[in-house]
Amino acid sequence: MIYLKWKLSEGTWGTGPEGTIYDRGSKAMVGWAIDDDGYRIGYLTDSVDLTGLETWDVTEVTESEALAFCQNIWSGATVGEDGFITSEPPPEGEEAE
């Protein structure tokens, strides 16, 4: 799994680099964790050139860096067997999105 950290185009909201990354031959998937500055963790299926993505301040991070970022938002986050970082379960009686 390749982990990315990026900032949304308008600060704490807006677009991400998923479309541009797709156009370059890979697929970026959005993770659940987003901080107060608009940075979030995402996942990449295949390595791709990340140059020219300054609009989103995209950087590749290690698994441990991605996990630490997510744990700052929810301390119970762990890396699942599939490489995705687990999110907080929905409140009892509510379904996950």
Side-chain angles (χ1 to χ4, degrees):
M1 180 70 69
I2 301 169
Y3 300 92
L4 299 177
K5 180 181 172 185
W6 70 73
K7 185 171 182 137
L8 297 176
S9 62
E10 302 301 322
T12 57
W13 62 279
T15 65
E18 300 96 308
T20 302
I21 288 172
Y22 181 80
D23 291 344
R24 293 181 181 188
S26 189
K27 181 178 178 187
M29 294 161 280
V30 176
W32 60 269
I34 183 169
D35 69 10
D36 292 337
D37 294 324
Y39 282 94
R40 70 181 324 139
I41 293 296
Y43 308 94
L44 191 61
T45 57
D46 299 295
S47 186
V48 68
D49 180 10
L50 298 176
T51 59
L53 300 177
E54 289 82 12
T55 299
W56 303 283
D57 189 19
V58 180
T59 56
E60 188 172 332
V61 295
T62 65
E63 179 182 281
S64 60
E65 290 169 327
L67 179 59
F69 177 93
C70 293
Q71 287 176 334
N72 280 330
I73 297 167
W74 179 57
S75 64
T78 60
V79 178
E81 290 182 22
D82 58 2
F84 291 97
I85 299 174
T86 60
S87 62
E88 187 171 9
E92 191 171 319
E94 293 184 24
E95 292 185 31
E97 293 181 6

